[in-house]
């Protein structure tokens, strides 16, 4: 493993490099320990810094006597799967632009069962999305799209067999920042208002493409009506439509386009 890696900056650029960093579970445990306590062990129960632990991956607080595992409170807690496999699965899921299915993960990591691979992907995805995150701020784009459905459906809002998903993304100069996606019940002002309040800071400037206007009380809205303009949707709001495109690419690559609405919520 590299000398003095920095959290959030240093990242293996390839699978061989990942395997070189983490040759054994001991390497993985050491890395997790450093991530959790970069300045040395601190008991999460009593905040004592004394450590009587002599078992790799375990600390025994000198203050309260409790044993604390480096994996406690994480997706690795009490796992029977080698940490090297977990690390490889996490790297594959983050490095692949089109996502990784449980079947692909089982094949690449040589896991013994599909269920184990599915459980790993489910747990990893659950920690990729965190509740209580800060709302988007500054100038944002918003729009809606239909995802999934086994039948082509009808044109326009109300396409049969599909799920309506609202999306919003921050504009940062010529680039883009954070993004949010959420299933909404319909394209009504009430559903849009709930979406904005959940994900956009109050009083921020927002842009919207087409359809009835968003409620003004939810945010400062600039409406761009596609029907009234000569431009298609994606040049007018490139960020949110790029977000939709990448999302659909992942679903096509990972699930071959077949995804149930309840799975989209995860």
């Amino acid at each position: 493993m590299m000398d003095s890696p920095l959290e959030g900056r240093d990242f293996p650029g390839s699978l061989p490099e990942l395997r070189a960093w983490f040759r054994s579970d001991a390497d993985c445990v050491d890395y997790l320990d450093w991530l959790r306590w970069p300045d040395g062990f601190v008991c999460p129960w009593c905040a004592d810094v004394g450590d009587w632990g002599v078992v790799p991956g375990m600390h025994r607080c000198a203050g309260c006597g409790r044993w604390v595992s480096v994996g406690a409170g994480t997706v690795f807690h009490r796992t029977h799967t080698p940490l090297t496999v977990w690390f490889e699965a996490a790297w594959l899921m983050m490095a692949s632009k089109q996502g990784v299915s449980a079947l692909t993960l089982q094949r690449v990591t040589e896991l013994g069962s599909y269920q184990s691979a599915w459980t790993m992907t489910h747990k990893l995805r659950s920690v990729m999305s965190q509740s209580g995150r800060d709302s988007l701020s500054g100038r944002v784009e918003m729009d809606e799209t239909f995802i999934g459905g086994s039948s082509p459906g009808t044109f326009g809002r109300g396409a049969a067999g599909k799920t309506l998903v609202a999306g919003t993304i921050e504009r940062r100069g010529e680039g883009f920042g954070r993004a949010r996606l959420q299933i909404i019940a319909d394209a009504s002002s009430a559903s849009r208002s709930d979406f904005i309040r959940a994900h956009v800071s109050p009083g921020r400037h927002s842009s919207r493409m087409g359809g009835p206007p968003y409620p003004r009380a939810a945010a400062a809205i600039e409406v761009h009506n596609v029907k009234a303009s000569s431009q298609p949707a994606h040049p007018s709001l490139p960020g949110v439509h790029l977000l939709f495109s990448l999302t659909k690419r992942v679903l096509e690559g990972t699930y071959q386009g077949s995804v149930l609405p309840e799975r989209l919520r995860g």
Side-chain angles (χ1 to χ4, degrees):
M1 211 166 87
M2 69 163 58
D3 295 330
S4 302
L6 294 179
E7 180 184 1
R9 189 200 71 179
D10 294 313
F11 187 79
S14 65
L15 199 53
E17 187 176 359
L18 175 82
R19 290 169 176 167
W21 284 22
F22 305 106
R23 297 178 183 273
S24 67
D25 272 20
D27 292 332
C28 299
V29 167
D30 181 62
Y31 186 73
L32 291 176
D33 201 314
W34 168 75
L35 282 178
R36 190 162 189 177
W37 298 292
D39 299 318
F41 172 73
V42 178
C43 178
W45 299 97
C46 69
D48 194 282
V49 297
D51 183 10
W52 291 345
V54 293
V55 180
M58 298 289 294
H59 296 273
R60 188 179 183 187
C61 176
C64 64
R66 285 187 172 94
W67 285 93
V68 182
S69 166
V70 297
T74 74
V75 295
F76 312 116
H77 188 49
R78 294 181 179 175
T79 181
H80 297 292
T81 303
L83 288 176
T84 52
V85 176
W86 273 102
F87 276 39
E88 190 163 313
W91 188 90
L92 288 169
M93 292 183 67
M94 295 303 298
S96 174
K97 292 182 179 180
Q98 296 191 358
V100 176
S101 67
L103 190 62
T104 298
L105 185 63
Q106 181 190 10
R107 175 177 55 80
V108 172
T109 60
E110 299 182 341
L111 280 166
S113 70
Y114 173 82
Q115 183 60 40
S116 295
W118 184 90
T119 300
M120 291 179 70
T121 57
H122 181 72
K123 286 186 175 182
L124 289 170
R125 290 191 185 103
S126 72
V127 295
M128 289 179 184
S129 177
Q130 300 176 348
S131 60
R133 297 170 296 180
D134 291 339
S135 297
L136 305 192
S137 60
R139 183 176 176 83
V140 303
E141 295 179 1
M142 283 181 283
D143 204 357
E144 296 131 22
T145 189
F146 285 104
I147 291 179
S150 57
S151 60
T154 57
F155 291 104
R157 301 180 185 278
K162 297 181 182 293
T163 302
L164 185 61
V165 175
T168 181
I169 189 169
E170 291 174 332
R171 292 298 302 265
R172 294 183 176 176
E174 297 298 319
F176 307 105
R178 300 170 298 164
R180 301 286 187 269
L181 291 168
Q182 180 184 315
I183 294 175
I184 57 175
D186 49 47
S188 66
S189 292
S191 293
R192 293 170 178 167
S193 177
D194 289 343
F195 175 73
I196 294 173
R197 290 192 178 97
H199 301 292
V200 181
S201 297
R204 301 295 183 178
H205 189 267
S206 307
S207 297
R208 154 70 191 158
M209 180 78 72
Y214 274 88
R216 300 282 172 180
I221 304 298
E222 171 194 332
V223 178
H224 182 93
N225 197 315
V226 178
K227 293 181 180 179
S229 72
S230 59
Q231 286 188 316
H234 60 277
S236 302
L237 291 179
V240 72
H241 283 273
L242 176 62
L243 174 64
F244 292 152
S245 176
L246 292 175
T247 300
K248 292 177 181 180
R249 183 190 302 177
V250 168
L251 294 176
E252 288 290 339
T254 304
Y255 304 104
Q256 289 76 54
S258 178
V259 60
L260 298 174
E262 55 265 31
R263 296 301 184 195
L264 282 176
R265 297 183 189 278

